[in-house]
Amino acid sequence: MSAIPAALATATTLGGAGALAGLGLPYRLRVPVVGLLTAGAGVAGAAAGVAALGGSRWATDLPGLLPLVGTHLAVDALAGVFMAVAGAVVVAVAVYGVGYAAGHGPHGLGSRTAQAMLPLFALTLVLVPAAASVSTFLVLWELMALVSLLLVLAEHRERASVRQAGVWYAVMTHLGLVLLLAAFALFAAGAGGETFAALRAGAHTVSPTVRGLVFVLAGLAFTSKAGAVPLHAWLPRAHPEAPSPVSALMSTAMVNLGVYGLIRTGLDLLGGGPAWWWLGLIAIGGVSAVYGILQAAMASDLKRLLAYSTSENMGLVFIGVGACGLFTSYGDRPLAALALAAALLHVVNHAAFKALLFCAAGSVVRSTGLRDLDRLGGLRSRMPATAGLFALAALGAVALPPGNGFISEWLLLQSLIHGLQVPGVAVAVVLPLSVALIALSAGIAAAAFVKALGVGFFARPRSPRADGAREAPPLMIAGMGLLAAACVALALVPGMLGDALDRAVSAVGLPGSGALSGGGVRVRLSDISASLSPLWVVAALTVAIMAAVGLPRLYGRRRRRMNARLWDCGGGAPTPRMAYTATSFAEPLQRVFDDVLAPEQDLNVTPVRESAYLVERVRFERRVPDRIEHRLYEPVLRALAGTGRSARRLASGSVHLYLGYGFVGLVVLLVALAVGW
């Protein structure tokens, strides 16, 4: 008998009990009890995912929960990947969140509303991949959006920017819901049913035009949820303003569900499609990867930097999914399986290191009350555990060995490079360009995280708050330790996921890639073979570092040492104002990409009162706005605001005029009915 239904029932029970505990218990009991129940729900959800990845399958219908259509649930290996990742992240974040909320009192994340919503959010993250019908999926999807919105607004009384971020998030997520409703309504009408089994069976009867429209609408909705460009505007607002445990869940488990929805709809339910679907997805992924990490490199807000990094990594995942669909459309199924395995592995790796990054950033915010890198510094000596954990996660984010992100990006590059053997002009152009964009994004990511780590942790403190920082409490360190252990395991022995990823790839009708096995990674295709052993890479790096550090010291022992004061050119001891800030560190990179970033600057010269020729103060401000938001969203918002102002003229206060509006509307309706009849 499958363990999946028992695990899901346990997760649901614990999640519901956590919500009730959050509403009913006093503050001192509320936080630890809710944390314990949320962690238990995460363990149960992860157990269900692991069971599915082990080969178990489960499906059921619950007719009494949703009127008319019923509730349909099914779990296969593809759903298992996302359930296991969500459950594992929930466990670590729940442990971390107890210590985090304890420092905020009965407000913010410690409030009744936030504590009630946190276990419900965790539960929806686990249940969304288990949905097996349109109605069930949309209900769980909307519930996830609503509870996450309430969690984003947890600190709305403290900062006005939280309320603004909540508005952006609410609008964007519900626009995505409208797109999903339209896509699934068209699909269900053409396939003759709303269960996933009916959609899968009837997909071949839907016309190519409708299939393409369904994919475009669903693709826009799911890429928006994943934070991909250009529908990313909510992400750099909502993720920084949410409490850090919520940011960790949103930037890992929730955005992953956008990837899940796209794979489930495009590759499974629709059964794949023509090449133009996947070329468009690769283009979205490439733009998201480069533009997202460029914005991250320019950001001086630590959590905003991490949010834009999420856009970059989701872009890399979409390149892999797009390459899988493209290779499938050309009939190269082994190569498609390799690309999808690389994308799924990066989903897992990104969840581990990004959750750790957000938790480490949350420790900094809790200790200093600051997110501005220009005001931080000196945290390595004051918060050594947090600094070390942030550095470990940053190593994964920049895709350098021995970080865990290196393995999945290497595998993705292998799939794209080997894809050059597939015939076609589009493939010959798109794949080399994709390889170049991935390499470019990795280089910029290195600059972004060197800035975050160097300026925020290793530089001198630039404010009294940074100077007075203290290490995070033990529960927060423990939660981050769990995520760090996952990062290390994924970096050293990614082969432990080999069979699980093969089953997930097979769930969409592709052969197992066999890319991960034992302690290494290998690629075996027709006439092409490549392999990599992470353990040997770590061993080689260890030897190289020991040699680079040890040999100079051994040589230096033979020479006589003298202690002398350093010549400072008469300038005196350096101060924090003389060191690089995050803004100045990013300025050379900004100059290289001026045409893409379009920075804005403002110079304000204030003369003294007595004479216009004598300067009292000069103020220079340079900012790098989100250019896509500036060019795409702001004109739309201005047009909507103008329409709203114009509509006010209709409300003159005259009852006679209102009656006239009603009469005209009735006449128009009657005429439309008469013509239609």
Side-chain angles (χ1 to χ4, degrees):
M1 181 177 178
S2 174
I4 296 175
L8 289 180
T10 302
T12 304
T13 302
L14 293 175
L20 294 176
L23 289 173
L25 292 178
Y27 167 70
R28 292 189 178 277
L29 291 176
R30 180 165 66 232
V31 171
V33 171
V34 169
L36 179 63
L37 293 173
T38 303
V43 170
V50 170
L53 291 172
S56 298
R57 297 175 65 94
W58 173 76
T60 189
D61 297 336
L62 304 174
L65 293 183
L66 290 179
L68 301 179
V69 292
T71 302
H72 305 271
L73 300 174
V75 178
D76 59 6
L78 178 62
V81 171
F82 294 88
M83 293 170 67
V85 169
V89 172
V90 164
V91 173
V93 171
V95 174
Y96 171 91
V98 174
Y100 183 92
H104 285 72
H107 306 290
L109 190 62
S111 66
R112 292 184 184 275
T113 301
Q115 288 293 299
M117 293 300 106
L118 192 59
L120 289 181
F121 185 38
L123 181 60
T124 58
L125 294 174
V126 170
L127 290 181
V128 165
S133 67
V134 171
S135 55
T136 306
F137 183 86
L138 291 178
V139 167
L140 292 172
W141 188 267
E142 178 63 6
L143 181 60
M144 177 185 69
L146 291 176
V147 295
S148 60
L149 173 61
L150 292 175
L151 287 170
V152 168
L153 294 171
E155 298 175 357
H156 70 280
R157 296 180 180 178
E158 302 174 18
R159 302 186 304 276
S161 56
V162 176
R163 297 189 288 273
Q164 184 183 19
V167 171
W168 273 88
Y169 180 48
V171 171
M172 293 297 292
T173 194
H174 285 92
L175 284 176
L177 178 65
V178 170
L179 293 174
L180 277 182
L181 281 170
F184 282 131
L186 287 171
F187 195 4
E194 65 105 25
T195 65
F196 284 0
L199 295 178
R200 197 177 289 114
H204 68 281
T205 65
V206 181
S207 69
T209 302
V210 174
R211 283 166 51 89
L213 184 58
V214 168
F215 180 80
V216 169
L217 293 175
L220 290 174
F222 289 130
T223 54
S224 173
K225 180 62 71 176
V229 175
L231 301 176
H232 67 293
W234 66 273
L235 188 144
R237 285 181 166 84
H239 289 207
E241 298 299 340
S244 292
V246 179
S247 302
L249 290 175
M250 292 177 69
S251 264
T252 55
M254 192 181 78
V255 298
N256 284 352
L257 294 180
V259 178
Y260 168 78
L262 193 58
I263 295 174
R264 179 66 75 188
T265 303
L267 293 174
D268 182 24
L269 301 182
L270 287 170
W276 69 265
W277 290 11
W278 312 108
L279 291 172
L281 185 59
I282 292 174
I284 290 174
V287 172
S288 298
V290 174
Y291 187 81
I293 201 61
L294 266 178
Q295 289 292 334
M298 298 301 111
S300 58
D301 184 315
L302 180 57
K303 291 183 69 175
R304 188 176 178 88
L305 182 154
L306 299 180
Y308 273 117
S309 171
T310 298
S311 288
E312 179 234 353
N313 283 278
M314 290 298 102
L316 297 177
V317 172
F318 284 133
I319 289 176
V321 176
C324 169
L326 183 64
F327 296 147
T328 303
S329 68
Y330 281 96
D332 196 328
R333 296 167 63 80
L335 199 55
L338 177 62
L340 185 57
L344 292 176
L345 181 59
H346 198 67
V347 164
V348 178
N349 283 330
H350 174 255
F353 69 69
K354 187 52 62 66
L356 180 53
L357 285 169
F358 266 109
C359 288
S363 297
V364 172
V365 173
R366 184 185 183 276
S367 180
T368 65
L370 299 172
R371 300 189 329 227
D372 188 357
L373 289 170
D374 289 338
R375 298 175 63 191
L376 290 171
L379 300 180
R380 180 183 62 85
S381 58
R382 293 160 179 80
M383 306 178 68
T386 299
L389 292 168
F390 188 94
L392 174 65
L395 192 62
V398 300
L400 289 176
N404 61 315
F406 168 72
I407 300 299
S408 49
E409 291 201 28
W410 181 86
L411 200 60
L412 176 60
L413 286 172
Q414 291 297 320
S415 68
L416 296 175
I417 293 171
H418 293 166
L420 294 174
Q421 63 183 338
V422 176
V425 176
V427 174
V429 173
V430 169
L431 295 190
L433 184 59
S434 299
V435 171
L437 292 177
I438 293 172
L440 177 61
S441 66
I444 301 173
F449 282 95
V450 165
K451 179 186 77 172
L453 192 62
V455 175
F457 290 88
F458 289 94
R460 293 190 177 189
R462 295 181 181 82
S463 67
R465 291 185 181 182
D467 193 30
R470 295 293 181 270
E471 186 57 271
L475 275 176
M476 296 174 68
I477 298 296
M480 290 189 287
L482 293 174
L483 294 169
C487 290
V488 172
L490 290 168
L492 297 182
V493 283
M496 63 183 178
L497 299 179
D499 293 339
L501 289 182
D502 282 349
R503 292 190 182 96
V505 169
S506 300
V508 296
L510 294 173
S513 66
L516 298 172
S517 63
V521 183
R522 72 171 186 269
V523 177
R524 296 186 187 277
L525 301 169
S526 57
D527 302 324
I528 296 176
S529 178
S531 62
L532 175 71
S533 173
L535 289 174
W536 280 108
V537 171
V538 173
L541 285 173
T542 303
V543 171
I545 292 172
M546 291 177 64
V549 174
L551 291 178
R553 291 193 175 187
L554 290 174
Y555 177 74
R557 287 181 179 179
R558 301 177 183 177
R559 305 181 62 181
R560 188 169 59 89
R561 292 187 178 183
M562 295 180 60
N563 293 325
R565 293 184 60 188
L566 181 66
W567 172 246
D568 57 11
C569 301
T575 67
R577 287 178 57 85
M578 300 177 184
Y580 272 103
T581 63
T583 304
S584 60
F585 186 93
E587 199 268 345
L589 189 63
Q590 174 197 301
R591 287 181 177 272
V592 174
F593 293 97
D594 260 357
D595 292 336
V596 177
L597 296 170
E600 300 174 354
Q601 63 184 37
D602 183 25
L603 180 64
N604 187 11
V605 180
T606 303
V608 298
R609 184 177 302 177
E610 291 79 8
S611 173
Y613 298 101
L614 300 178
V615 177
E616 177 183 10
R617 184 172 61 253
V618 177
R619 178 182 176 84
F620 176 79
E621 183 180 1
R622 189 179 181 94
R623 54 192 175 274
V624 182
D626 190 321
R627 190 175 186 182
I628 292 178
E629 180 182 315
H630 183 65
R631 296 293 181 89
L632 179 62
Y633 290 91
E634 289 185 8
V636 174
L637 293 176
R638 285 196 297 268
L640 291 175
T643 303
R645 286 191 296 269
S646 300
R648 291 180 182 176
R649 302 173 185 173
L650 300 176
S652 63
S654 170
V655 176
H656 300 86
L657 189 60
Y658 296 157
L659 291 173
Y661 293 157
F663 176 74
V664 171
L666 180 62
V667 170
V668 171
L669 178 62
L670 292 174
V671 170
L673 290 173
V675 171
W677 186 267

